[in-house]
Amino acid sequence: MSARDFRSHDEESAYEAIMDAIVTQELAPNQKVSEHIFSDMFSISRSTARTLIERLISKQFLVSNSPRVTVVTPLRALEVRQNFTLRKILLPPLWTKAASKVDHKKLCKLHQEIKQLHPIDSDDTALQLLKKNKEFNMNICEKTGFPVAVEWASQLEDTAMRIYWLYIKLNRQSPYLPEHQGMLIEQLRAYDPARIQSAVHDIITQAEDNVLDSLFSSQQFNSHELRN
């Protein structure tokens, strides 16, 4: 694995790089990590590595199996199903709450950037697409003014990125299309709360069906732990 050079040793840049590595399984599920490993891999100080490990544990992307052993949190069938269930519970009402406050111009810009990342022709494009999708979704959630709910949504979106990465690796396409986001923008602009909630729920459900059918029917994965 190649080291990354952060000239400013910026903690947020390092955190983002570590999350990218977890999403793409450069840091694989159950892989052991440590201050030394992060320091070497991401060219950061041991103290920064320690801070980031604690932060990632608190967000459940790392797990301590013992005082001396910390690993990347496994990605199993249970986590996949829980993620979709929680997103179907949390996101529809959040998006409805935010609908009257969203920046439609910003959403349309993000939507165009997402469309330009199709077709997905490389791992780099896949990662950029997932990050843009998260930015699109969080741009809406953040308008609610509910910090705790926004934090939950962000954590769920990061886990969704891990899940969607596996789907894209198998299919070279997203589990839902850019047109779905375009439709959501129109629903938000029309501000019909019932239709907004229904549209968000339906898109997440469709993505769930596509992901579960694809991942669990593939010989590349098993129902206990998902790796690419």
Side-chain angles (χ1 to χ4, degrees), residues 9-187:
H9 296 278
D10 178 73
E11 184 176 311
E12 288 305 313
S13 295
Y15 179 84
E16 182 178 355
I18 294 170
M19 279 304 307
D20 287 353
I22 292 173
V23 167
T24 62
Q25 297 201 358
E26 184 180 357
L27 287 169
N30 277 322
Q31 180 174 333
K32 184 178 178 180
V33 299
S34 66
E35 295 172 20
H36 176 72
I37 290 171
F38 275 6
S39 180
D40 286 349
M41 187 174 179
F42 299 98
S43 298
I44 55 178
S45 69
R46 294 285 289 271
S47 61
T48 298
R50 186 181 313 115
T51 298
L52 292 177
I53 287 172
E54 292 172 355
R55 181 175 172 186
L56 288 160
I57 289 173
S58 72
K59 292 179 177 292
Q60 301 180 36
F61 294 111
L62 299 179
V63 60
S64 291
N65 291 334
S66 73
R68 293 189 177 184
V69 178
T70 299
V71 301
V72 177
T73 301
L75 185 60
R76 297 167 295 206
L78 177 62
E79 281 76 26
V80 173
R81 294 181 187 278
Q82 284 182 339
N83 181 266
F84 280 113
T85 298
L86 291 172
R87 286 166 66 220
K88 283 187 287 187
I89 292 171
L90 182 64
L91 294 185
L94 277 185
W95 281 42
T96 302
K97 175 69 176 178
S100 63
K101 303 175 184 178
V102 297
D103 184 340
H104 294 288
K105 185 176 180 180
K106 176 69 177 294
L107 288 183
C108 287
K109 181 177 182 294
L110 287 169
H111 177 52
Q112 289 303 314
E113 291 172 354
I114 289 168
K115 288 175 66 175
Q116 291 171 6
L117 291 169
H118 291 269
I120 303 170
D121 57 7
S122 69
D123 285 354
D124 181 65
T125 301
L127 180 59
Q128 293 308 310
L129 173 66
L130 292 174
K131 294 171 80 167
K132 283 293 179 183
N133 278 334
K134 178 187 175 182
E135 185 179 356
F136 181 95
N137 293 343
M138 293 308 302
N139 190 265
I140 299 170
C141 292
E142 288 164 0
K143 299 299 182 182
T144 63
F146 297 154
V148 174
V150 170
E151 181 64 23
W152 290 343
S154 179
Q155 187 167 326
L156 289 171
E157 287 297 311
D158 281 336
T159 300
M161 287 174 64
R162 298 182 71 190
I163 297 165
Y164 289 167
W165 172 264
L166 298 176
Y167 181 90
I168 291 173
K169 290 291 286 184
L170 279 174
N171 300 281
R172 282 298 169 191
Q173 64 181 22
S174 171
Y176 55 87
L177 301 174
E179 287 74 15
H180 293 146
Q181 289 173 325
M183 180 268 290
L184 283 173
I185 292 174
E186 293 306 313
Q187 295 288 358

